Amino acid sequence: MPAAQRVTQSKKILQTALDRISSKGYANTSMRDIADEAGVALSQLNYHYKNKEGLFMEAIDMTIQTYMKELEAHVMTGNTPKERWQSFIGYFRKMLLDNPKLFKVLFDFVSMALWSSAYGDKLNSFFRDIATLIEKNILLDNHLKNKIKKYNTNAIAQMLSSALLGASVQFLLNPSEMKLLNALDSIELIYE
């Protein structure tokens, strides 16, 4: 099989795995389900990814890369830290309304990470990267830095990212409760 065709087949399998997890969840996704939906032999999954853990490690990597790329783009939108924060929150709101499956995949991976140190390492790194992104682009503003100087800015960034993710989980569990999205806005109180 030519290298280009292997890459295409590999990406198709990976995308199928992500689609399946986002619609059925990890617990309801088997390697056979993925192979059937991707239109490949089960042996092809093992050829490309060695085993189920290898496939899901790649899926986690792809999900994290997608999130970080989009989060970085949104946090850089705006001239002031407050505008950057509003853009950051806007991203969460838009994704929760327009593409909740991406969040569901992330939270399914978080659940898996509770039982697997390999998955846990990847997710811990991702959460640290989000906190660092918030710290560098939002909290280290001179005006804000003076208001929060008695606190560790990284700890505040971790708390803010945790609040965003927690509100996101609550909204996914009850999407008819639109006021949960307003909880994202309340985090702006750090600017008052």
Side-chain angles (χ1 to χ4, degrees):
M1 179 182 299
Q5 191 176 359
R6 279 195 307 267
V7 170
T8 301
Q9 189 175 57
S10 174
K11 284 184 178 182
K12 182 178 182 181
I13 292 167
L14 184 57
Q15 189 57 53
T16 300
L18 284 168
D19 291 344
R20 176 73 188 200
I21 294 167
S22 70
S23 63
K24 303 289 183 187
Y26 171 78
N28 298 316
T29 299
S30 70
M31 294 293 271
R32 173 140 330 270
D33 295 329
I34 295 166
D36 289 347
E37 287 183 31
V40 300
L42 186 57
S43 61
Q44 290 301 304
L45 274 68
N46 292 324
Y47 172 77
H48 290 290
Y49 297 103
K50 306 287 185 246
N51 54 33
K52 189 174 183 179
E53 183 176 275
L55 174 59
F56 288 111
M57 283 293 237
E58 286 292 322
I60 289 171
D61 284 342
M62 186 174 174
T63 302
I64 287 172
Q65 289 171 8
T66 299
Y67 268 113
M68 284 311 296
K69 184 176 161 184
E70 292 178 5
L71 289 170
E72 287 170 352
H74 280 80
V75 82
M76 298 311 293
T77 304
N79 297 318
T80 67
K82 185 174 184 176
E83 289 172 355
R84 290 190 291 270
W85 181 248
Q86 289 169 335
S87 178
F88 200 71
I89 291 172
Y91 167 77
F92 274 79
R93 177 179 282 107
K94 182 176 179 0
M95 292 304 292
L96 285 166
L97 293 172
D98 298 345
N99 192 4
K101 286 183 175 186
L102 189 59
F103 273 100
K104 288 180 180 181
V105 168
L106 174 66
F107 293 129
D108 211 353
F109 289 149
V110 169
S111 174
M112 292 165 40
L114 294 172
W115 307 106
S116 164
S117 62
Y119 295 154
D121 291 344
K122 287 194 178 288
L123 271 293
N124 277 324
S125 177
F126 173 60
F127 294 138
R128 278 192 304 273
D129 290 347
I130 292 173
T132 299
L133 194 64
I134 292 171
E135 181 181 24
K136 286 182 179 177
N137 294 286
I138 297 167
L139 295 179
L140 293 180
D141 169 68
N142 285 335
H143 169 72
L144 196 56
K145 195 173 172 183
N146 288 334
K147 287 178 74 172
I148 60 174
K149 64 184 171 190
K150 70 178 185 176
Y151 301 102
N152 177 296
T153 55
N154 187 263
I156 293 172
Q158 289 175 357
M159 185 254 326
L160 292 172
S161 66
S162 297
L164 285 170
L165 293 166
S168 299
V169 169
Q170 291 178 57
F171 180 75
L172 289 174
L173 292 172
N174 191 3
S176 64
E177 195 65 46
M178 294 302 286
K179 70 180 178 185
L180 291 170
L181 286 179
N182 296 336
L184 299 175
D185 294 326
S186 66
I187 299 172
E188 284 186 31
L189 64 87
I190 63 170
Y191 291 101
E192 296 175 9

